[in-house]
Amino acid sequence: MGGNMKNVLVVSFGFLLLFTAYGGLQSLQSSLNASEGMGVASLSVIYASIILSSMFLPPILIKNLGCKRTIVASMGCYVAYSFGNIYPGWPTMIITSVILGLGASPLWSAKCTYLTISGNMQAEKDNKRGPDVVNQYFGIFFLIFQSSAVWGNLMSSLIFGKDTEIDRGHRLEDGY
């Protein structure tokens, strides 16, 4: 396995872990932070921030930091949002939502750029067509990344399943 393929796998599994956590958290926002619609507002702020960051941030960050550093910094934005959910409140949730939104577009742009450059470099080494290797790299990435939805939903289901069992136990103890 070449160095470029190892890098593709590292990026793919990094996205898998990141989006397993984020996807599960995102799908639970309206339930976990239901007071005054804080969860829904948080998600709205994320996507409004993504729209704004899409207009200017990706080329600036990729040019100044490079693809790898942009990916790492942008993943940090998602982690900040996860930490913001530990003690959710309006200021925490809105600020971390903006941070995540600003990091999302550079993350996806840097990932695409990185996979394309890696695929073209590998194609040149192996005397293959660049688009063929790039497509293979994207296929591997999405094969691994898309499974994050399964893992995130499974974790959410397990969390709610345990809460339900605990609630039933308390209801039985309390006589209802």
Side-chain angles (χ1 to χ4, degrees):
M1 180 182 327
N4 283 327
M5 179 59 80
K6 287 180 185 173
N7 292 341
V8 169
L9 291 174
V10 167
V11 169
S12 300
F13 280 103
F15 270 70
L16 169 68
L17 295 173
L18 182 71
F19 282 93
T20 295
Y22 172 69
L25 187 58
Q26 179 186 28
S27 66
L28 295 173
Q29 270 309 309
S30 61
S31 301
L32 291 175
N33 297 315
S35 72
E36 300 175 16
M38 184 169 55
V40 174
S42 166
L43 295 174
S44 299
V45 169
I46 288 171
Y47 289 103
S49 300
I50 289 172
I51 291 168
L52 292 175
S53 76
S54 296
M55 293 189 292
F56 62 91
L57 272 182
I60 293 169
L61 288 179
I62 293 169
K63 179 182 176 187
N64 291 312
L65 299 178
C67 288
K68 290 180 187 178
R69 287 189 181 109
T70 300
I71 290 170
V72 171
S74 296
M75 284 182 161
C77 296
Y78 280 81
V79 172
Y81 181 74
S82 296
F83 281 129
N85 275 270
I86 293 173
Y87 297 108
W90 279 100
T92 308
M93 293 304 296
I94 299 304
I95 290 168
T96 58
S97 295
V98 169
I99 291 169
L100 187 156
L102 293 176
S105 291
L107 176 67
W108 287 98
S109 297
K111 182 271 304 173
C112 290
T113 303
Y114 186 74
L115 292 181
T116 302
I117 290 170
S118 296
N120 285 324
M121 285 174 49
Q122 193 62 45
E124 191 174 309
K125 285 181 189 175
D126 296 343
N127 261 349
K128 293 183 178 179
R129 290 188 55 232
D132 294 341
V133 178
V134 169
N135 289 335
Q136 178 188 20
Y137 282 5
F138 272 88
I140 291 166
F141 170 83
F142 280 105
L143 169 83
I144 295 168
F145 164 72
Q146 288 297 329
S147 72
S148 68
V150 173
W151 299 113
N153 286 322
L154 181 62
M155 287 184 357
S156 298
S157 173
L158 290 172
I159 289 168
F160 275 129
K162 288 192 184 293
D163 287 346
T164 304
E165 290 172 18
I166 292 169
D167 288 343
R168 280 189 211 137
H170 285 294
R171 282 189 226 130
L172 291 174
E173 289 171 5
D174 296 339
Y176 49 130

